[in-house]
Amino acid sequence: MEFLKTYPNNNQVYYLTPELPNFEDFYLKVRELEGRVYTDDFVVNLPYVPPGHEQKKEWIIRQKTTQNFLNYYKKLDLQNVLDLGCGNGWFSSMLVTNNTAEILAMDVNKAELEQAARLNQNKNLNYVYADLFHPDLPSMQFDLIVLNSCAQYFPDSKLLIQRLMKMLSKNGTIHFLDSPVYEQSELAAAKARTVQYYEAKGVPQMAAHYHHLCWKDFTSFNTEILYDPRGTWTRLKRKFDRSISPFPWLKFSKKKTNQ
Ligand SMILES: C[S@@+](CC[C@H](N)C(=O)[O-])C[C@H]1O[C@@H](n2cnc3c(N)ncnc32)[C@H](O)[C@@H]1O
């Protein structure tokens, strides 16, 4: 991605848009309190974590999501892939080793972007700080865009999908992984839990940055549910199999007509 070289670079991260105020400090403070600011040694082994680790259950689920996604992804003929909300980059590393595509790992979190860049330098993997909605964001096209546990940080999932559609090549696809999606009837309670959660952590400001996806928001798009956690059989299996995810895998494509 030659065009990146025209942008400022600090510690192997290109800065495509100005830094956003507020988000990173609050986000990292919560991550720290949750024990999710990981050491380099820990990140390079993700999604595998040592036995007895406090987030073991969560990572067992994420291992399965990753494996299912990579089984699909490695067979695709792709030129460019966007990993939006790459964080510390463990998933970007999976993307670059499982396809010959060039990967752009994007985030608005300098600390984790720099960690990602420090841990994996690969000619097919670049790291950028960029706000998707900033008017100066250069125009880019991707064959696949993936948001792994990231869509919930955007206030309006419809606007998000519309924005991402504009960055897709003709047959490109967008994938949401490991984000909770709610029924309309569950939204109010979920929002209240979020406010309570961040207040209890002592970082109430973070509630303004964490949002709730709703199934009905996807109906106007060309949406495929590649994994649906809502089925009775799946819910039942989850009681016995700790690796069964409560989060869907959603795939969005352009409609054949204008979108
Ligand atoms: C829960 S982490 C997920 C990181 C990684 N994708 C993973 O699967 O572990 C969410 C990430 O989304 C990023 N994020 C939040 N808002 C964003 C935005 N507007 N643009 C890009 N990334 C964003 C956060 O900084 C964070 O790194």
Side-chain angles (χ1 to χ4, degrees), residues 20 23 27 31 59 62 83-88 90-91 106-109 112 130-132 148-150 152-154:
L20 289 176
F23 174 75
Y27 178 76
R31 296 283 285 186
W59 282 104
R62 301 205 68 194
D83 180 13
L84 180 60
C86 64
N88 57 36
W90 70 269
F91 187 65
M106 183 182 284
D107 209 295
V108 290
N109 162 356
E112 290 194 318
D131 168 14
L132 203 60
N148 195 348
S149 189
C150 173
Q152 65 272 30
Y153 293 94
F154 289 84

Side-chain angles (χ1 to χ4, degrees), residues 11-78:
N11 294 328
Q12 308 297 330
V13 176
Y14 294 97
Y15 285 76
L16 306 192
T17 63
E19 289 175 36
L20 289 176
N22 300 327
F23 174 75
E24 180 170 349
D25 288 348
F26 298 136
Y27 178 76
L28 288 179
K29 184 138 189 235
V30 172
R31 296 283 285 186
E32 180 119 40
L33 292 165
E34 291 174 337
R36 289 175 205 276
V37 174
Y38 300 135
T39 62
D40 290 1
D41 287 346
F42 192 88
V43 171
V44 293
N45 288 310
L46 288 174
Y48 301 96
V49 302
H53 188 270
E54 59 177 327
Q55 291 144 17
K56 181 83 180 169
K57 272 190 186 164
E58 174 184 323
W59 282 104
I60 285 176
I61 290 171
R62 301 205 68 194
Q63 281 162 26
K64 186 149 184 174
T65 305
T66 307
Q67 205 47 60
N68 289 341
F69 181 77
L70 292 179
N71 286 342
Y72 160 92
Y73 165 84
K74 66 186 175 196
K75 297 181 196 130
L76 301 177
D77 180 14
L78 306 167

Side-chain angles (χ1 to χ4, degrees), residues 6-228:
T6 61
Y7 286 90
N9 179 311
N10 198 19
N11 294 328
Q12 308 297 330
V13 176
Y14 294 97
Y15 285 76
L16 306 192
T17 63
E19 289 175 36
L20 289 176
N22 300 327
F23 174 75
E24 180 170 349
D25 288 348
F26 298 136
Y27 178 76
L28 288 179
K29 184 138 189 235
V30 172
R31 296 283 285 186
E32 180 119 40
L33 292 165
E34 291 174 337
R36 289 175 205 276
V37 174
Y38 300 135
T39 62
D40 290 1
D41 287 346
F42 192 88
V43 171
V44 293
N45 288 310
L46 288 174
Y48 301 96
V49 302
H53 188 270
E54 59 177 327
Q55 291 144 17
K56 181 83 180 169
K57 272 190 186 164
E58 174 184 323
W59 282 104
I60 285 176
I61 290 171
R62 301 205 68 194
Q63 281 162 26
K64 186 149 184 174
T65 305
T66 307
Q67 205 47 60
N68 289 341
F69 181 77
L70 292 179
N71 286 342
Y72 160 92
Y73 165 84
K74 66 186 175 196
K75 297 181 196 130
L76 301 177
D77 180 14
L78 306 167
Q79 301 296 315
N80 297 303
V81 170
L82 174 64
D83 180 13
L84 180 60
C86 64
N88 57 36
W90 70 269
F91 187 65
S92 321
S93 295
M94 301 277 144
L95 295 177
V96 80
T97 45
N98 282 278
N99 200 290
T100 54
E102 275 196 68
I103 315 297
L104 195 68
M106 183 182 284
D107 209 295
V108 290
N109 162 356
K110 282 188 297 179
E112 290 194 318
L113 271 169
E114 287 187 8
Q115 183 180 35
R118 182 168 72 238
L119 294 177
N120 194 350
Q121 280 298 309
N122 182 305
K123 69 175 175 35
N124 280 348
L125 175 55
N126 283 292
Y127 302 92
V128 294
Y129 183 105
D131 168 14
L132 203 60
F133 290 95
H134 195 283
D136 293 343
L137 185 71
S139 126
M140 294 180 262
Q141 279 227 317
F142 299 95
D143 300 325
L144 186 141
I145 298 176
V146 57
L147 289 81
N148 195 348
S149 189
C150 173
Q152 65 272 30
Y153 293 94
F154 289 84
D156 185 329
S157 55
K158 281 190 188 171
L159 277 183
L160 170 65
I161 298 167
Q162 281 162 4
R163 175 72 188 95
L164 294 175
M165 285 286 173
K166 295 197 174 114
M167 298 168 76
L168 272 191
S169 59
K170 188 162 167 269
N171 294 314
T173 54
I174 302 164
H175 298 259
F176 285 6
L177 305 174
D178 280 356
S179 286
V181 180
Y182 300 91
E183 301 297 345
Q184 177 80 27
S185 58
E186 299 168 325
L187 277 182
K191 287 179 185 174
R193 280 196 303 273
T194 295
V195 170
Q196 265 178 3
Y197 178 76
Y198 289 122
E199 271 174 8
K201 287 271 173 241
V203 193
Q205 301 91 333
M206 191 56 207
H209 298 282
Y210 188 96
H211 308 281
H212 301 82
L213 305 174
C214 182
W215 286 103
K216 79 165 177 31
D217 293 340
F218 307 133
T219 51
S220 58
F221 298 101
N222 188 6
T223 311
E224 282 173 70
I225 307 173
L226 297 187
Y227 166 71
D228 191 337

Side-chain angles (χ1 to χ4, degrees), residues 244-258:
I244 307 269
S245 178
F247 310 125
W249 171 3
L250 300 170
K251 172 181 164 190
F252 307 98
S253 321
K254 286 189 180 174
K255 283 185 175 161
K256 296 292 172 244
T257 53
N258 275 350

